[in-house]
Amino acid sequence: MIIRDFNKAAIITHDGEVSYRQLMGNILSYADMMPKAEQFSLAEGEKMKTLILSENRSEWIYAFFAVWHNEAIAVPVDATSTVHDVAYIMNDCRPQCIFTSREKEQLARDAMREAGVEMTVIVFEDNVPEPRDVAEGQEFRFENTSGKVEPCLIIYTSGTTGSPKGVMLSYENLEANIHGVADEVPIFNGNRRTLILLPLHHVLPLMGTAIAPITRGCGVAICPSLSGPDIMDTLKRGEIAIMVGVPRLWQTLYTGIMKKIEASAVTRALFNMCKKAQNRRLSRFVFQAVHKKMGGHLDYCVCGGAALDREIGEGLKTLGLEVLEGYGMTEMAPIIAFTRPGDYIPGCAGLPLPSVECKIVNGELLAKGKNLMMGYYNRPEETAEVIDSDGFLHTGDLAEVDEKGRVYLTGRSKEIIVLSNGKNVQPSEIEYKLEKYDSQVKEAAVVQDGDMLRAIIVPQEEWLGTMTDADAEARLKREVLEPYNLTVANYKKLMNVSIYRGELPRTKLEKLQRYKLKELLEKTPAPAQKVEEAPTSVENVSGTLATLKAYIEKEKKTEVTAESHIETDLGFDSLDRVSLQDFIEERFSISINADDMASYKNIGEIADAIDAKKKAPAHITQAADAPLKLPTSAFTHPLISKSFTGFCRLHNSLKVKGKENIPVNGPVIVAPNHQSFLDGPLTMAGMNWGDISNYYFYATEEHVQGSLRRWFAARHNIILMERRNLKNSIQKMAEVLRMGKNLVIFPEGRRTNTGALGDFKKTFAILSQDLNVPILPVCIRGAYDALPRERTMPSTAHIEIEYLPVVQPSEAATPEALAELVKQRINDVLGS
C-alpha cells in the first residue's frame, strides 16, 4: 500500500472522518498492542494467528491491517456467532490473540472457556490508539516478505461435511483479485469511494469493501446499520460510488423504489419507456431524483453471494444503475467471474477474472488461478477432495459458458444451501441438532423455502399420539423450533415446519436423498389451520397490538394474531426485523432492538414491550443542532380561514362556544378531536383575525401529497410529519412553541371511522410536559355527520366547536396520563 495523498479521507463514519495519515498511525498503534510471536511456543515456520470478533467499525479495519503489519494471520469471525461457533474456530486454529469490541467481549471470553484456550484479549474501547506521526510518502506494504507463499488470512466457511473449514488465503491470492478489478478492469480507483455495509468477516465484503478500496487509495464509508435511512444517509455523506450488496438487499431497495414508481401512471409510463429504450443516459436523466436520493455519485451496484433475480437486475438497469454481478467462492478469494461495466446480462455471472481459467467437466464448473486458496487449514484430505491434480477447484456448481466465455450458472451439485443473503447453510448440521430433541423428533430434513429454511419433521409416534398435523406443527414450533432458534445465528434459523407421517427417502446406506425432499414436500397436504383462541382481526383488538397487526398483515400478506411468532409463524428475516424496528420507532417513538425481536414469544409480547417502553425520550424536543426550516404564513392564511368560517356559519349553522378559554398569549397546544376533513380550519373558527398567523398545524405527509398541496402547506403554517425523520418533525414543533407561537395537533392522528373518539397518541403530551406548555382541548361535534369519510362534499349538518378550559402539563405525572386526561375532557363534552 503506497498512499500519495495522506490527507485524503480513508474511512468515513457517522462520527467523522479518518485520513490516510491517521489510518496508518492507528494501524501502527494497534500493531504495538499485539503480543509478539516470540512470546509463544510456535512451531518453526508457524505464524501467529489473531481473531477479530466485532461488528463493523473503524477499529475493525485498524486491527485487521495491524495483524498484517505484524506478519501474522488474520481470522475474522462472524459477530453474530454463538459461543459454540466461536469456540469451534478457536479450538480449530488455536489463535494467540483476539481483537474484540466491548459488546462482544463476553462472547469472546465465554468461547475461550468452552474451547479451553488462553489468548491476549484486546478490547477496542479499552485501547484507544494514540496519535502517531506518519511521514509523508512513507510506504506501508502488506505483502509476503518471506519469499515463499504463506497464509495471511483464514476465513471459516461451511463445507460438505457440515463443520466449518478454515480457508487459507495468501497475499498472492488476494492481490490477484485486486489486480483484476482495479488494474485489468478499472472498477476500483482513487476517485470511487466504497460503502461498507455487509459484515466484514465474510470474504466478499472484506475484499470488495475494505481491502481493495483501502489499499488502492479509494477510501470507504461505514454504514451503521442495514436500515434504509442509514444506508441513504451514508450514500450521501460518503459520496459513495461503489455499493456491494447481496440479492436480498438489492431486492429490498428495488421494491421500495418501485412502490413509488407504480403509485403514479406517469412514472409507470416513464419506467416502461426506459425499459424499452435501454439507454443508461436517458434512464439516469428520467430517474435523476432516485439517483440524487442515493447520493448522486453511485457508479456501480455490485451483487454477490448468490444469483440476483432477473427482474431485479433488469429493473435496476432500467433505473440507470450500473449493475455488476459477481460469482465466486471463499476458496477463490473470492472472485471466479464477474460482469464487466456495460456488459451486464441478467442471469449471467459474467466473464472469468482475467487470471482465472474456467472449464466445464460433466456439467460442473471447474476453476483455477492465482487466487486459488492454499487449502483448508489442517485438512489436507478435504483440500484434495476439491482441488484436483491439475490444480482446478471443483466448485460443485453446474454451469454453461457462451461463445464469449461468459459463465451462466444452472444449478448446484452440492447439498449446501445458499440463501439470497449469500449465507451458506449445511442442512445436515441443523438436522443433527433437531434430532437431539428426540422426545418429539424421530428424524428431520432441512430444505430451502424461498429465502428461508423449513424443517420437515417425522414425529415420534408416542409423542404424536392422536394429534392432528396442525396441532403437531404448532407444538413443534414451540417445543423444538423456538428453542433451537435461540441457539444459532440468524441465517441458520428455521422459519417453518412441516409434518411428514412416514419415513424420509434414504439410500440403502441411510444417506438422505435430498433431491426427493422438494417433491415430498409438495405431495404433503397442508393441514387445516387451527383456529387460535386469540383476536383474528384488527377490529377485535385495540391500541398497540392492532397497529402492529395491521402493519405486519400488510407487509407479509398473511393473517396475524396475538400468538403469531415473527419467525416460526411469519417468516421474518433480518431485513424484515429491521423494517419492523423502523416502523416501531416511527409509529411509537421508541426503540426495540431488531435482533431481540425473536426472543419474544409472539406479537402480543412485542406489543406489551412497546407499551411498557412508551415513555418519551427527553432529547426529542431539544433544540436542533442546525437551523430548522419552518413553514411560513402567507397573507392568504387568515383570509382563507375566516372565509371558511363564514361559509360554515351559513352552510352548517356553525356555533362556537368557550372562546373565553382561549389563552390571550402563547404558546399553547391546541388538541381537537378529529371527525372530518373540515376540522383543521374549523379549529380556527374562534380565533381573532390577527392571531391566526401564530397557529401552526401538524399534518401527515399522506394528507399533503402533490406539489400544489406541499406548496400550499409551506406557506400556511403546516408542519409535515416526516416518517423517515420523525425527530426532525418533533423538533420543528418544539421550535414553534419556543418561539411563543401556538401548535394545533390532532391527538388521534387520523379521522374517526365511526364518529367515536379514538385513541390519543402522546406526542402532544410529550411536547407539553417537556416544554411546560398548556393544552387547549377542543371538542368538535357534527363535523362527522357533515363530512364523513365516504363523502366528498359537506352536507348541511349542524356543527359545534367548543374550546374547553386549558389543561396544565403538571396535572398528570406522565405523557400517557396527560394524553388520557385531555381525551377524557373532550369525551365528557362530546358525549353530553
Side-chain angles (χ1 to χ4, degrees), residues 288-555:
Q288 56 185 296
V290 173
H291 292 269
K292 187 175 181 181
K293 286 184 179 179
M294 299 179 73
H297 295 82
L298 194 60
D299 287 335
Y300 298 123
C301 302
V302 181
C303 182
L308 183 65
D309 183 83
R310 180 180 294 270
E311 179 188 347
I312 296 172
E314 290 176 343
L316 292 172
K317 186 178 179 181
T318 299
L319 292 170
L321 295 168
E322 181 79 79
V323 181
L324 302 181
E325 191 165 358
Y327 159 67
M329 298 174 64
T330 306
E331 288 85 345
M332 292 294 285
I335 303 174
I336 294 176
F338 67 98
T339 54
R340 303 310 195 256
D343 188 39
Y344 175 71
I345 301 173
C348 176
L351 291 165
L353 191 74
S355 61
V356 168
E357 178 185 351
C358 291
K359 66 179 181 179
I360 306 296
V361 177
N362 296 325
E364 182 186 7
L365 179 68
L366 277 60
K368 75 173 181 179
K370 294 180 180 179
N371 55 331
L372 177 59
M373 68 172 178
M374 297 177 61
Y376 296 122
Y377 183 73
N378 279 344
R379 299 195 183 191
E381 297 84 4
E382 293 186 34
T383 301
E385 289 177 5
V386 297
I387 301 178
D388 63 24
S389 58
D390 293 327
F392 277 92
L393 174 72
H394 288 246
T395 66
D397 289 307
L398 304 177
E400 297 174 351
V401 177
D402 69 10
E403 68 282 357
K404 292 188 177 181
R406 300 188 190 95
V407 176
Y408 292 80
L409 299 177
T410 59
R412 292 187 63 81
S413 62
K414 292 183 178 181
E415 295 179 349
I416 200 167
I417 295 172
V418 181
L419 300 175
S420 66
N421 60 8
K423 292 288 189 179
N424 292 347
V425 177
Q426 178 51 252
S428 61
E429 176 188 348
I430 300 175
E431 289 154 3
Y432 173 74
K433 292 182 178 180
L434 291 178
E435 289 173 0
K436 285 186 175 181
Y437 295 87
D438 53 4
S439 296
Q440 300 95 339
V441 180
K442 182 178 180 182
E443 55 179 337
V446 173
V447 296
Q448 187 170 1
D449 186 7
D451 286 340
M452 301 174 291
L453 298 175
R454 174 186 289 267
I456 302 174
I457 290 180
V458 177
Q460 295 286 7
E461 292 183 10
E462 184 177 344
W463 175 84
L464 184 61
T466 59
M467 278 190 284
T468 65
D469 283 1
D471 289 330
E473 287 184 5
R475 284 191 59 183
L476 284 173
K477 287 178 181 179
R478 307 296 180 250
E479 298 176 16
V480 177
L481 266 61
E482 287 184 15
Y484 159 81
N485 284 346
L486 292 175
T487 67
V488 297
N490 286 333
Y491 71 94
K492 293 182 180 179
K493 290 182 177 181
L494 294 163
M495 300 306 188
N496 220 324
V497 61
S498 293
I499 296 292
Y500 183 65
R501 296 177 183 258
E503 294 183 354
L504 296 178
R506 298 181 183 274
T507 66
K508 291 183 178 180
L509 297 177
E510 290 298 306
K511 186 176 181 180
L512 196 59
Q513 295 176 305
R514 297 191 181 276
Y515 67 94
K516 293 183 179 180
L517 293 177
K518 185 176 181 181
E519 182 181 357
L520 179 151
L521 195 60
E522 291 172 350
K523 289 182 178 180
T524 303
Q529 294 296 312
K530 180 182 178 182
V531 178
E532 300 276 359
E533 293 182 5
T536 57
S537 64
V538 174
E539 288 75 23
N540 294 330
V541 294
S542 60
T544 304
L545 179 57
T547 304
L548 284 182
K549 275 171 48 62
Y551 168 80
I552 296 171
E553 287 178 347
K554 179 181 178 182
E555 293 296 312

